[in-house]
Amino acid sequence: MALSGMRGLSVFISDVRNCQNKDQERLRVDKELGNIRTRFKNEKGLSPYEKKKYVWKMLYIYMLGYDVDFGHMEAVSLISAPKYPEKQVGYIVTSCLLNENHDFLRLAINTVRNDIIGRNETFQCLALTMVGNIGGRDFAESLAPDVQKLLISSSCRPLVRKKAALCLLRLFRKNPDVVNVDGWVDRMAQLLDERDLGVLTSSMSLLVALVSNNHEAYWSCLPKCVKTLERLARNQDIPQEYTYYGIPSPWLQVKTMRALQYFPTIEDPNTRRSLFEVLQRILMGTDVVKNVNKNNASHAVLFEALALVMHLDAEKEMMSQCVALLGKFIAVREPNIRYLGLENMTRMLLVTDVQDIIKRHQAQIITSLKDPDISIRRRALDLLYGMCDITNAKDIVEELLQYLSTAEFAMREELSLKAAILAEKFAPDLSWYVDVILQLIDKAGDFVSDDIWFRVVQFVTNNEDLQPYAAAKAREYLDKPAIHETMVKVSAYLLGEFGHLLARRPGCSPKELFSIIHEKLPTVPSSTIPILLSTYAKILMHTQPPDPELQNQIWGIFNKYESCIDAEIQQRAVEYHALSRKGASLMDILAEMPKFPERQSALIKKAEDTEVDTAEQSAIKLRTQQQTSSALVVTDQRPANGTPSGIQLSLVKVPSMSINEDHNMAEQGLSHENGILSKVDPQTPSADLLGDLLGPLAIEGPPGTDVQSQQNIVSGLENVPNTVEAAAIVPVEEQTNSIQPIGSIAERFHALCLKDSGVLYEDPYIQIGIKAEWRGHQGRVVLFLGNKNTSPLVSVHAIILPPSHLKIELSLVPDTIPPRAQVQCPLEVVNLRPSRDVAVLDFSYKFGNNMVNAKLRLPAVLNKFLHPISVSADEFFPQWRSLSGPPLKLQEVVRGVRPMPLLDMANLFNSFRLMVSPGLDPNPNNLVASTTYYSESTMAMLCLVRIETDPADRTQLRMTVASGDPTLTFELKEFIKEQLVSIPTASRAPMPATPAPPIPQPTSPAAALTDPGAMLAGLL
Amino acid sequence: MPVAASAIYFLNLRGDVLINRLYRDDVGGNMVDAFRVHIMQTKELGTCPVRQIGGCSFFYMRISNVYIVIVVSSNANVACAFKFVVEAVSLFKSYFGGAFDEDAIRNNFVLIYELLDEIMDFGYPQNLSPEILKLYITQEGVRSPFSSKPTDKPVPNATLQVTGAVGWRREGLVYKKNEVFLDIVESVNLLMSSKGSVLRCDVTGKILMKCFLSGMPDLKLGLNDKIGLEKESQLKSRPTKSGKTIELDDVTFHQCVNLTRFNSEKTVSFVPPDGEFELMKYRITEGVNLPFRVLPTIKELGRTRMEVNVKVKSVFGAKMFALGVVIKIPVPKQTAKTSFQVTSGRAKYNAAIDCLVWKIRKFPGQTEPTMSAEVELISTIAEKKSWTRPPIQMEFQVPMFTASGLRVRFLKVWEKNGYNTVEWVRYITKAGSYEIRC
């Protein structure tokens, strides 16, 4: 460097480096700054050499971290010096000390421009570097055309053009207008034909920035990018100096693939084919080797290729190849590679096709959970969490539980949360869920947040079958010598509520329960005592006939706490004491807790919050965003009174309280308003779970407000219709949309019920296409959201409101759809139970100032989970006979059928996947069909259908449906009936059956009462 | 007495633990890591000597290139802790022969451990007097009990010494020449406004003594302080002599001073320790004689020029003189060029501290030298902030002058042998923080 000969500078630097501590250094630097100031002030005596020397010193001081707020003038003036060393320091110091907003730069622009358009290459390079470093709007405006000229000029050396490309990139980032000139796209495409790899790499960087901004304009570059990739990866046609450990210019490869990812799809089949060929080659050719540098380079290329493969939505074969490769990675010893493997596998989860393939590596991933490196463990946990589904949930959750006892504290909270969520989401049966959570609390009590045990309590309360089991389990845990406080809470709560269900088991008499719970009282903090008091009150209430000894004991405790300093404990003690003396009324007031309204698990919300710090693209995050908890399974949804009801889409579930009971609710509310009304609290959905669990037990409100409560009820009932309307998420038509859809939504829907791809919705701005694949009880639906306009659609939201029997996961929908672009949103559908309910896609976007909202039924209907199967006569008849009578075999005479020839009917049946087996029935007027129905609860279930028609009256027929599952039989019968009664046509009267248009329920109180949440909201 | 320390650490500037001692087990051994991470490696260092991290309090101070950190988890007496550190350091210094730094600690590990064991028990400070400790913590080798050679020095009875009535003085001292040195050292703190009015002014003084006296002498010191004189005139029932009397505030005595007698007779009488010690400290806020008056005029002429004129007037007796007078006149950071005219001493610009430094080696009383300087500033790109004008600082020493006017009236020595003693008395006034706003 030009330092030789500048003695003053080297002396200063060595002085600074010899300083013992910071203070000495500061003193030395301040002294030098004083010296420089004196020198600069002394303008006449400053030779160019001195100026250069002092500016270097300034730079050195600046680099040491001190403020240098003078001397910029001198630095800028050096730029115009004729000699290289002076010009160099001028450029370097200017680019370091000044930022784009400095006025001094204006002084320099002209000099810089002269250097750029001058013929001296070194000066051109210096100037380009400085402009690239500083950027800035002023520079962009005045210098961009010159830089562009340099970039495309053929007379310049590659060195200069390289710098010009990078300089332009920087200017573009500051001011995107600089490349918005006519013909630049073509020039850009030309640049990609460049033979020199240096220039090509720089141009590719520029292209990546350009394409990310506006990919449409640069379509023409796409084939060239693919060509470049071909040249690098396939032909290996590059000079020796651009290979890195035998890999042809990994940087350029990565950049090219990055650029390709900005194009939504590749439409030209040739290009696509050759690109896939290259990708294939990269995937095949990458392996783990000894050399770290080589690994780094080849893996960078590989992972970019993987990203591209995922982006392009390649064939399954290629995907599985990718997964296999990653599987190899996660088996490697080297931790970095394993980390990358796990992380990319998590990303692969987004492409749901490969989930099954990833599952093959489950064992290996679980091993990674025990890795000494915590970052790997976290990745493995993420991946396990992401890949979990019904099939492997049990294994994974068990593995997580096992791991919990050895995991370090930093991970335990996250781990227990995730285990809880998985257990909840994918529980094959609810007792297992209870087992898991209780184990979880037992093993990692400190790390189990309150939400987790609140959730268990909700589950158990809402499921009567589960209650004895949970209570017995809780009782078992209480036998352990030392249990965690949370466990005390859960056990006490469960035993208080449901302990009486165990009364006949040994060791579970009220007295014993009381004594074992009371043993724990001294060990728990005051926050738990209120729960214990409630438990005592409940035990007391359930003890029939009353046990005076127990009663005295419990009263003694209440007595003791009546003067407790904690207001909550005191209030409970006083109230329970007073209530328990009232005898019979205690029964009513302390009756079992009513069921909780369904709501999204707070856990999942929490997981979302904790995800923030982990990888942005984490699959978990996506899942949690889109999935409503399958915990909605809890209440089974038998159509009330057996009448097919069209409004079962509501998310607010009808709990299994039968309607008859509900009829009484109002009266009950009147008579027990003290008890029931206060317990009603939890039914108003509230975010505060703790409040729900603890609050209702405190009894509020003086008795004797009958009149008022009656009024409340009346007004509540009046309110009910509205509430129902608001709650039932049925409206299928658009609401208050100023934009009219093209074509009939209903018609499109019905067409899609019978085929797997087509247009779901269309209006002047957007077209939503759908493409579905169904396999067994699972399905993959891809929504294609296409923007038909030249301006972007913003605020795009799509929410799936799935019925209870479907588990639907919608991948992330981008907020904005760029102009003339199509966005794909894959949906995963899992059928849990037979049901005819339809999922609704709540879709909205904003165009200009118009907010467009559409509620669209998704054609994930019952028949999609059918699989036609042909049965021979000797298979059919034994089956038919074995399924005898209701509820497995149902028969109905259907009237009002649209008349049609038998052949048409057979075709219709075939179209919705009921295989008509001709010749099985001797009567030619009859039809026999068979199919297999897939759902998670029924698994593959054979269904048999027989239709007997009357040749005299084609409008009526007798239909018999049989299957191994009563619900399925019913649902299938109803489904077929709907199809027969009214075949969808354009000019069709409103359909009476599912999928139903919005049926605002007649405002009858009875119907309204089916929604206890709404009713209670009214009551309160 | 409250706890002063749970643990004490000696760290070097990098944060390595040189030596440590845990006195109570209520702090973990790794607490010093918290100190290193949260204090030493941040800008917090040096801003506040007491910091709380995670339920523990850290008291620290830097002595040469060593940080001494005290960790406590209870509510400790901070002043006691710092006093303990200061005393411990002076103890170490007296053991190591002057220097206390990283090397000294490294060279005296064993000795330091021995001392740390002795000077604090379970967090409560114990005897820190070097004279006493040197009786039983010695730096000499331990003689083997099997050695036949009889001891040439009688082993001093340490226990008796420590628990005796005069714990600070050993018996049986003999000096050929009995001498007492007494220094009154005062430092003047001043903050004066630019108009010349005194905003804050006080004097902190201390009386340092050095005794080389045989036997167990009893000394009595008389000063011209107000209480002492009034009491004396009461006792002797004769009017106070003419002359100024001084009102002393916040007087603290060395432990050797007999406080009961001070309370009853208001005289300072004591049996001195052997060697050097600080007899008393005091403070004076009224009637301070300022040795110097400073009259600055600083004019900013435009953005790039300044004119500085400073006149300093000495207001003590014409026969006295001040030594080492340094006047630091702050100038803006972007000072580029300076030129001076002084009537006495030398002036120059010091860029490292952004001050004009005017030095006068010998400054006679009742004179007023002046300095005028022209300062040129360089223009900067940063927005011109108005210069904050820090105060002018001054350093000086004036021998045989007390800013308080305190004088020694008598210093009497009684000893049962009745030898003659020579008494030497000196006065000196120094600048504390002597600042004049401009």
Side-chain angles (χ1 to χ4, degrees):
Chain A
M1 222 160 146
L3 293 189
S4 58
M6 281 189 282
R7 214 177 103 71
L9 178 59
S10 28
V11 167
F12 170 61
I13 291 177
S14 69
D15 275 2
V16 166
R17 298 180 71 167
N18 285 335
C19 284
Q20 298 283 328
N21 53 43
K22 194 82 186 155
D23 287 344
Q24 273 182 26
E25 184 187 294
R26 197 187 56 77
L27 289 179
R28 180 69 186 87
V29 166
D30 279 343
K31 188 178 155 203
E32 194 60 43
L33 281 175
N35 183 24
I36 298 172
R37 283 196 296 262
T38 316
R39 293 298 177 146
F40 281 170
K41 197 70 189 174
N42 220 355
E43 193 72 63
K44 56 181 180 291
L46 209 60
S47 68
Y49 161 77
E50 278 177 321
K51 205 191 244 183
K52 179 182 75 177
K53 187 174 81 176
Y54 289 119
V55 170
W56 272 124
K57 279 187 185 174
M58 260 169 52
L59 178 63
Y60 185 72
I61 291 170
Y62 179 75
M63 280 159 56
L64 287 175
Y66 296 91
D67 264 350
V68 177
D69 55 359
F70 62 93
H72 302 91
M73 194 62 207
E74 280 76 10
V76 171
S77 70
L78 276 174
I79 289 180
S80 49
K83 282 195 201 148
Y84 175 76
E86 285 151 31
K87 209 182 247 305
Q88 181 200 26
V89 63
Y91 272 121
I92 290 179
V93 173
T94 308
S95 54
C96 286
L97 258 56
L98 295 182
N99 66 30
E100 53 179 286
N101 301 322
H102 269 300
D103 294 337
F104 276 107
L105 285 180
R106 298 235 171 86
L107 304 174
I109 283 184
N110 223 4
T111 329
V112 174
R113 183 157 186 273
N114 284 338
D115 277 343
I116 286 181
I117 57 178
R119 305 301 311 163
N120 187 328
E121 273 177 3
T122 45
F123 289 178
Q124 279 177 334
C125 287
L126 282 177
L128 286 172
T129 313
M130 196 270 274
V131 173
N133 270 321
I134 294 184
R137 198 157 271 274
D138 289 344
F139 274 156
E141 276 162 15
S142 46
L143 297 178
D146 298 316
V147 177
Q148 283 175 358
K149 246 178 244 159
L150 272 190
L151 176 57
I152 52 178
S153 100
S154 52
S155 59
C156 280
R157 282 214 309 189
L159 177 71
V160 180
R161 299 178 58 205
K162 235 165 28 179
K163 289 195 189 296
L166 294 176
C167 180
L168 193 60
L169 170 62
R170 172 67 194 245
L171 295 181
F172 166 75
R173 280 182 186 150
K174 273 288 157 200
N175 181 6
D177 297 334
V178 297
V179 294
N180 284 353
V181 288
D182 292 336
W184 181 250
V185 175
D186 300 335
R187 288 183 199 157
M188 196 66 227
Q190 273 171 30
L191 272 177
L192 295 180
D193 288 332
E194 176 66 41
R195 294 296 301 166
D196 184 278
L197 276 196
V199 179
L200 191 54
T201 311
S202 307
S203 310
M204 198 56 85
S205 300
L206 179 60
L207 180 70
V208 170
L210 294 176
V211 169
S212 69
N213 192 40
N214 175 11
H215 64 83
E216 290 210 331
Y218 292 91
W219 273 111
S220 53
C221 296
L222 197 152
K224 307 231 168 174
C225 288
V226 176
K227 277 224 181 70
T228 309
L229 262 190
E230 269 186 318
R231 177 183 158 197
L232 291 172
R234 198 181 65 195
N235 308 345
Q236 310 229 335
D237 165 28
I238 63 162
Q240 186 57 40
E241 64 264 30
Y242 282 101
T243 55
Y244 180 76
Y245 288 94
I247 304 160
S249 186
W251 299 279
L252 183 52
Q253 288 194 44
V254 167
K255 275 180 189 161
T256 314
M257 287 191 276
R258 176 67 51 83
L260 283 173
Q261 282 173 55
Y262 284 108
F263 295 103
T265 49
I266 298 177
E267 274 155 10
D268 178 29
N270 285 332
T271 319
R272 195 178 163 88
R273 189 167 0 94
S274 48
L275 177 61
F276 274 114
E277 201 179 306
V278 175
L279 290 175
Q280 184 81 20
R281 191 177 277 269
I282 292 173
L283 293 180
M284 299 287 288
T286 310
D287 211 343
V288 179
V289 292
K290 270 269 160 58
N291 188 316
V292 182
N293 290 334
K294 178 160 185 175
N295 267 345
N296 287 343
S298 64
H299 293 162
V301 175
L302 174 73
F303 289 133
E304 206 58 55
L306 283 180
L308 187 55
V309 167
M310 283 185 249
H311 171 74
L312 291 176
D313 210 6
E315 303 84 63
K316 185 142 190 197
E317 198 181 325
M318 197 147 187
M319 290 289 190
S320 58
Q321 204 179 351
C322 295
V323 177
L325 196 62
L326 289 176
K328 230 190 284 173
F329 272 46
I330 60 173
V332 166
R333 269 172 71 104
E334 162 69 25
N336 287 334
I337 297 177
R338 209 160 45 209
Y339 180 93
L340 290 170
L342 288 170
E343 190 176 12
N344 277 280
M345 248 191 203
T346 315
R347 269 199 214 146
M348 291 290 277
L349 278 176
L350 296 177
V351 187
T352 32
D353 265 356
V354 296
Q355 219 161 358
D356 296 337
I357 317 167
I358 289 181
K359 269 186 220 156
R360 281 186 221 142
H361 301 284
Q362 193 171 319
Q364 186 61 45
I365 298 166
I366 287 171
T367 328
S368 295
L369 208 53
K370 288 157 190 135
D371 196 276
D373 185 338
I374 186 165
S375 51
I376 291 186
R377 287 198 297 266
R378 282 190 193 281
R379 285 294 135 247
L381 179 60
D382 266 5
L383 180 53
L384 276 181
Y385 179 73
M387 68 190 272
C388 195
D389 63 11
I390 306 273
T391 55
N392 53 9
K394 217 161 174 169
D395 293 342
I396 288 180
V397 170
E398 257 153 40
E399 200 57 52
L400 292 183
L401 277 182
Q402 212 181 342
Y403 174 51
L404 191 62
S405 41
T406 54
E408 74 268 41
F409 296 114
M411 268 179 85
R412 279 197 190 178
E413 182 157 9
E414 194 188 349
L415 194 60
S416 57
L417 184 64
K418 284 188 169 162
I421 293 173
L422 290 180
E424 178 184 324
K425 260 199 214 166
F426 302 113
D429 58 283
L430 292 164
S431 54
W432 179 78
Y433 170 72
V434 172
D435 279 353
V436 167
I437 301 295
L438 289 182
Q439 261 187 58
L440 196 68
I441 295 174
D442 188 35
K443 279 188 175 160
D446 281 336
F447 302 95
V448 175
S449 59
D450 281 344
D451 296 342
I452 293 178
W453 79 265
F454 291 170
R455 195 73 186 153
V456 173
V457 167
Q458 284 179 29
F459 262 75
V460 176
T461 311
N462 287 7
N463 285 272
E464 274 159 37
D465 310 345
L466 201 56
Q467 289 162 358
Y469 178 79
K473 269 281 171 195
R475 172 74 183 77
E476 266 173 45
Y477 274 103
L478 277 179
D479 277 338
K480 289 197 169 188
I483 61 174
H484 192 265
E485 183 209 332
T486 311
M487 185 60 96
V488 176
K489 287 185 191 166
V490 188
S491 307
Y493 187 91
L494 291 177
L495 288 178
E497 287 290 323
F498 313 114
H500 60 281
L501 302 175
L502 305 177
R504 268 177 239 141
R505 302 196 192 178
C508 297
S509 71
K511 217 165 167 182
E512 281 161 314
L513 286 184
F514 167 73
S515 65
I516 194 159
I517 295 171
H518 191 55
E519 250 171 45
K520 310 292 178 196
L521 183 83
T523 64
V524 295
S526 58
S527 58
T528 309
I529 294 179
I531 298 178
L532 293 186
L533 291 184
S534 306
T535 305
Y536 298 159
K538 296 232 169 185
I539 289 178
L540 195 59
M541 183 266 294
H542 285 303
T543 313
Q544 296 300 346
D547 177 347
E549 197 188 330
L550 180 65
Q551 197 170 23
N552 283 335
Q553 244 176 326
I554 292 179
W555 281 354
I557 295 164
F558 287 158
N559 231 338
K560 182 179 153 205
Y561 282 105
E562 272 176 9
S563 53
C564 180
I565 193 162
D566 187 318
E568 177 69 33
I569 299 176
Q570 190 187 27
Q571 188 184 1
R572 286 190 193 218
V574 171
E575 286 173 358
Y576 291 150
H577 197 185
L579 283 171
S580 56
R581 283 176 189 279
K582 286 197 169 178
S585 63
L586 177 69
M587 285 281 277
D588 302 328
I589 294 162
L590 290 178
E592 215 166 280
M593 289 289 283
K595 299 203 181 332
F596 291 90
E598 286 309 329
R599 64 180 123 211
Q600 188 187 352
S601 170
L603 299 183
I604 292 174
K605 198 166 168 300
K606 194 168 171 192
E608 254 171 69
D609 296 343
T610 55
E611 277 313 313
V612 179
D613 55 336
T614 56
E616 190 188 336
Q617 279 290 332
S618 165
I620 296 101
K621 194 170 172 188
L622 286 173
R623 281 190 162 212
T624 46
Q625 276 173 352
Q626 295 140 16
Q627 210 167 24
T628 51
S629 161
S630 69
L632 295 181
V633 196
V634 182
T635 48
D636 59 349
Q637 198 181 8
R638 211 166 284 119
N641 297 345
T643 42
S645 133
I647 50 149
Q648 292 191 357
L649 292 175
S650 55
L651 266 186
V652 184
K653 298 306 276 301
V654 182
S656 57
M657 283 181 181
S658 81
I659 283 185
N660 295 339
E661 277 167 7
D662 287 329
H663 279 305
N664 300 332
M665 277 293 279
E667 290 141 40
Q668 275 175 11
L670 279 176
S671 51
H672 313 136
E673 48 108 19
N674 258 345
I676 300 268
L677 279 187
S678 58
K679 270 191 265 163
V680 146
D681 270 1
Q683 304 238 3
T684 49
S686 108
D688 181 10
L689 284 167
L690 186 65
D692 288 354
L693 281 177
L694 298 180
L697 297 165
I699 289 154
E700 295 156 15
T705 49
D706 282 13
V707 180
Q708 201 191 339
S709 67
Q710 208 153 8
Q711 282 169 348
N712 282 346
I713 287 170
V714 173
S715 65
L717 292 181
E718 281 165 5
N719 289 336
V720 160
N722 299 337
T723 332
V724 168
E725 266 179 352
I729 308 167
V730 203
V732 181
E733 308 294 335
E734 290 162 314
Q735 298 171 327
T736 64
N737 281 349
S738 51
I739 290 156
Q740 281 307 309
I742 298 170
S744 153
I745 296 174
E747 201 177 329
R748 290 183 192 278
F749 169 75
H750 290 296
L752 282 170
C753 283
L754 300 182
K755 56 183 191 171
D756 280 337
S757 58
V759 175
L760 183 66
Y761 173 82
E762 187 166 12
D763 67 28
Y765 303 112
I766 196 165
Q767 184 187 48
I768 303 178
I770 198 163
K771 195 178 153 187
E773 259 181 74
W774 305 95
R775 235 177 279 117
H777 67 282
Q778 288 173 323
R780 178 155 193 252
V781 181
V782 185
L783 294 174
F784 296 89
L785 311 175
N787 182 356
K788 296 161 72 176
N789 265 69
T790 47
S791 50
L793 296 180
V794 293
S795 312
V796 179
H797 292 291
I799 304 165
I800 295 281
L801 310 169
S804 66
H805 73 285
L806 292 180
K807 194 155 69 70
I808 299 187
E809 289 173 30
L810 175 63
S811 70
L812 204 61
V813 179
D815 195 49
T816 312
I817 305 178
R820 299 222 158 267
Q822 199 179 47
V823 179
Q824 296 183 17
C825 304
L827 273 169
E828 287 300 306
V829 184
V830 177
N831 186 22
L832 302 174
R833 282 188 315 275
S835 166
R836 286 165 299 125
D837 298 347
V838 182
V840 174
L841 171 71
D842 187 351
F843 180 79
S844 65
Y845 65 91
K846 208 163 165 183
F847 178 79
N849 289 327
N850 286 341
M851 189 72 198
V852 182
N853 182 298
K855 293 208 169 60
L856 307 167
R857 282 171 290 174
L858 281 182
V861 287
L862 185 90
N863 67 323
K864 300 288 184 187
F865 303 102
L866 295 176
H867 198 264
I869 185 171
S870 68
V871 284
S872 62
D874 23 4
E875 282 167 285
F876 183 87
F877 287 109
Q879 280 287 341
W880 186 254
R881 277 183 214 108
S882 70
L883 303 167
S884 56
L888 295 183
K889 191 192 241 174
L890 296 173
Q891 197 169 63
E892 194 182 345
V893 176
V894 185
R895 293 197 174 75
V897 177
R898 207 183 84 123
M900 65 173 117
L902 204 60
L903 197 62
D904 286 0
M905 194 181 282
N907 284 342
L908 179 69
F909 273 37
N910 280 332
S911 74
F912 49 84
R913 305 188 186 191
L914 284 164
M915 176 77 123
V916 176
S917 311
L920 272 183
D921 199 305
N923 185 342
N925 285 327
N926 292 358
L927 265 181
V928 170
S930 57
T931 188
T932 321
Y933 181 77
Y934 288 91
S935 78
E936 206 157 85
S937 63
T938 59
M939 301 315 282
M941 179 78 70
L942 185 69
C943 306
L944 305 171
V945 180
R946 182 167 180 234
I947 309 283
E948 294 153 88
T949 58
D950 182 0
D953 180 5
R954 287 246 168 246
T955 62
Q956 66 172 1
L957 48 78
R958 189 167 68 171
M959 172 165 68
T960 317
V961 178
S963 81
D965 184 67
T967 331
L968 173 58
T969 311
F970 175 77
E971 296 286 351
L972 186 60
K973 186 196 77 179
E974 292 300 321
F975 178 78
I976 297 171
K977 195 168 82 180
E978 285 162 25
Q979 298 299 326
L980 292 176
V981 168
S982 58
I983 307 299
T985 51
S987 57
R988 186 174 55 84
M991 266 198 322
T994 18
I999 304 175
Q1001 273 287 313
T1003 54
S1004 79
L1009 281 169
T1010 54
D1011 185 348
M1015 188 202 77
L1016 290 168
L1019 280 179
L1020 294 170
Chain B
M1 186 166 63
V3 171
S6 292
I8 186 165
Y9 291 90
F10 295 78
L11 311 176
N12 66 10
L13 293 184
R14 284 203 355 224
D16 303 328
V17 178
L18 299 172
I19 196 164
N20 72 317
R21 177 79 165 82
L22 287 173
Y23 288 110
R24 299 165 72 90
D25 49 11
D26 53 357
V27 295
N30 56 351
M31 285 313 292
V32 71
D33 297 332
F35 176 77
R36 190 158 46 224
V37 173
H38 291 107
I39 300 175
M40 285 195 85
Q41 290 167 2
T42 59
K43 286 182 180 158
E44 307 279 337
L45 192 65
T47 53
C48 174
V50 180
R51 291 264 295 152
Q52 286 197 307
I53 304 166
C56 278
S57 308
F58 291 83
F59 313 145
Y60 65 96
M61 68 197 306
R62 181 177 161 177
I63 312 257
S64 71
N65 55 358
V66 177
Y67 277 101
I68 300 176
V69 185
I70 279 186
V71 188
V72 281
S73 67
S74 55
N75 184 12
N77 185 337
V78 183
C80 177
F82 279 112
K83 181 69 182 165
F84 171 76
V85 171
V86 170
E87 289 297 324
V89 168
S90 68
L91 171 68
F92 293 148
K93 277 182 179 165
S94 81
Y95 263 93
F96 307 155
F100 177 78
D101 52 20
E102 194 179 341
D103 291 334
I105 292 178
R106 286 190 192 282
N107 296 335
N108 293 287
F109 270 136
V110 179
L111 180 62
I112 293 177
Y113 273 126
E114 253 185 287
L115 287 171
L116 287 177
D117 276 348
E118 204 56 49
I119 59 181
M120 182 171 270
D121 282 337
F122 200 59
Y124 299 103
Q126 305 294 314
N127 198 341
L128 282 130
S129 155
E131 288 78 31
I132 309 300
L133 286 168
K134 276 178 183 169
L135 290 179
Y136 50 97
I137 299 178
T138 56
Q139 284 162 288
E140 289 121 38
V142 177
R143 222 172 55 79
S144 161
F146 305 108
S147 157
S148 56
K149 199 177 163 201
T151 46
D152 42 5
K153 238 192 329 185
V155 177
N157 189 341
T159 323
L160 186 67
Q161 180 67 62
V162 175
T163 54
V166 187
W168 56 89
R169 192 177 173 92
R170 192 149 60 86
E171 297 214 31
L173 292 166
V174 177
Y175 288 97
K176 242 182 232 167
K177 195 175 171 189
N178 291 299
E179 283 178 305
V180 182
F181 297 86
L182 190 146
D183 291 349
I184 295 186
V185 181
E186 295 192 336
S187 63
V188 191
N189 300 313
L190 171 76
L191 180 64
M192 191 180 267
S193 76
S194 52
K195 303 260 165 57
S197 60
V198 174
L199 299 174
R200 195 181 68 221
C201 177
D202 62 90
V203 173
T204 57
K206 49 191 174 183
I207 301 180
L208 301 175
M209 288 193 79
K210 204 189 268 182
C211 293
F212 302 109
L213 296 170
S214 315
M216 276 290 194
D218 205 351
L219 277 72
K220 194 171 170 188
L221 173 69
L223 299 167
N224 61 340
D225 63 311
K226 201 173 175 185
I227 320 168
L229 285 176
E230 277 170 5
K231 193 77 187 177
E232 201 170 307
S233 60
Q234 265 177 26
L235 285 175
K236 296 180 180 169
S237 65
R238 71 172 177 219
T240 322
K241 268 190 228 162
S242 62
K244 212 171 133 193
T245 58
I246 314 295
E247 204 168 344
L248 301 180
D249 300 336
D250 303 334
V251 183
T252 45
F253 291 111
H254 188 263
Q255 61 164 340
C256 65
V257 174
N258 189 334
L259 290 178
T260 43
R261 208 180 302 168
F262 178 78
N263 284 339
S264 61
E265 297 170 23
K266 305 292 174 196
T267 52
V268 183
S269 64
F270 53 97
V271 177
D274 195 34
E276 232 177 304
F277 69 101
E278 186 185 286
L279 180 68
M280 65 183 279
K281 282 192 293 195
Y282 58 89
R283 208 158 60 85
I284 291 175
T285 47
E286 302 282 321
V288 177
N289 312 319
L290 292 175
F292 292 100
R293 293 233 160 227
V294 181
L295 307 163
T297 42
I298 294 179
K299 277 186 238 162
E300 285 177 74
L301 309 168
R303 287 177 61 123
T304 57
R305 276 190 61 224
M306 267 174 65
E307 230 177 60
V308 180
N309 279 296
V310 181
K311 188 195 276 181
V312 183
K313 197 170 165 186
S314 56
V315 286
F316 44 86
K319 285 180 189 161
M320 288 191 278
F321 51 85
L323 295 174
V325 178
V326 179
I327 301 141
K328 292 178 186 164
I329 303 127
V331 286
K333 210 161 167 47
Q334 62 268 33
T335 300
K337 243 170 77 181
T338 48
S339 60
F340 300 96
Q341 278 186 325
V342 288
T343 58
S344 150
R346 293 165 72 177
K348 64 172 186 196
Y349 167 59
N350 187 339
I353 54 173
D354 295 317
C355 282
L356 305 178
V357 181
W358 178 22
K359 287 182 182 170
I360 304 165
R361 195 174 298 163
K362 195 167 174 183
F363 197 135
Q366 302 300 338
T367 54
E368 40 176 281
T370 56
M371 181 207 72
S372 60
E374 257 186 41
V375 178
E376 278 186 58
L377 309 175
I378 200 164
S379 56
T380 63
I381 53 161
E383 274 302 299
K384 171 100 174 155
K385 286 172 280 183
S386 66
W387 180 45
T388 51
R389 287 186 179 244
I392 293 175
Q393 290 179 322
M394 198 170 167
E395 293 166 18
F396 54 83
Q397 283 191 355
V398 191
M400 300 322 281
F401 171 83
T402 50
S404 59
L406 194 71
R407 286 281 178 276
V408 174
R409 286 169 45 238
F410 57 84
L411 177 63
K412 294 173 188 159
V413 181
W414 286 280
E415 219 280 340
K416 51 187 180 222
N417 295 332
Y419 51 72
N420 284 328
T421 49
V422 186
E423 293 116 19
W424 305 89
V425 178
R426 281 194 299 185
Y427 304 97
I428 192 163
T429 296
K430 294 178 184 169
S433 94
Y434 204 88
E435 295 180 333
I436 298 98
R437 288 188 184 158
C438 53

